[in-house]
Amino acid sequence: MSAVIRIRDVRVGDAAELAQLVGELGYPTETPLMAARLSALLGREQRRIRVAERGGAVCGWVEAGLRLTLDTDERVEILALIVAEKVRQHGVGRLLVTDIEQWARALGMTSLVVRSNILRDASHPFYRQLGFEQRKTQHYYVKAL
């Protein structure tokens, strides 16, 4: 991969590319909906959304947020990490996670957490290589309201 990867803040104008990447993971999202979500999240101090750009096109993105619960210390959690299939295994995900790790350290956090779907086989060794250790396996339940 010859083009330089640049990490930058997300913009509402990135909505189409972000929606397309979410679709690659099996979560089809229309551009207007993605734009609305971005508009609602941009500017929140407790949220960080960054994109990886290669040759002027978005090829990955990461979303992270501060999380405080009664049972654990405050931490940063990676809420989403998506890299375009065509550039996986080229360091894009590593750059995005490193960016979030730097943000977490700057906030004085002592841990960074990520959850990964058990079906995403490639993500598990990726996170282990970055120094994450598996703490538990859990079920995810949803109740329609």
Side-chain angles (χ1 to χ4, degrees), residues 86-139:
K86 65 185 176 193
V87 296
R88 290 183 191 152
Q89 304 292 319
H90 293 282
V92 175
R94 179 180 297 272
L95 289 171
L96 289 166
V97 171
T98 298
D99 182 86
I100 296 303
E101 187 174 332
Q102 291 170 348
W103 178 62
R105 288 179 194 276
L107 293 173
M109 296 297 113
T110 59
S111 65
L112 177 61
V113 174
V114 65
R115 299 168 200 267
S116 181
N117 188 323
I118 196 165
L119 301 176
R120 305 235 184 262
D121 294 327
S123 70
H124 309 302
F126 167 77
Y127 288 118
R128 282 189 213 102
Q129 289 171 356
L130 294 180
F132 289 85
E133 66 179 58
Q134 183 178 348
R135 292 281 174 93
K136 65 180 177 178
T137 302
Q138 61 188 140
H139 293 272

Side-chain angles (χ1 to χ4, degrees), residues 12-20 29-38:
V12 175
D14 298 322
E17 292 169 296
L18 272 60
Q20 188 268 326
T29 303
E30 298 294 325
T31 299
L33 178 57
M34 181 61 76
R37 290 175 182 168
L38 278 169

Side-chain angles (χ1 to χ4, degrees), residues 25-72:
L25 286 187
Y27 306 108
T29 303
E30 298 294 325
T31 299
L33 178 57
M34 181 61 76
R37 290 175 182 168
L38 278 169
S39 294
L41 290 170
L42 286 174
R44 291 189 183 189
E45 289 182 21
Q46 295 189 342
R47 202 51 77 85
R48 184 168 178 93
I49 306 170
R50 304 278 280 169
V51 299
E53 208 175 48
R54 176 179 171 235
V58 173
C59 62
W61 61 272
V62 64
E63 177 184 3
L66 283 170
R67 185 169 168 129
L68 176 62
T69 58
L70 291 173
D71 62 331
T72 60

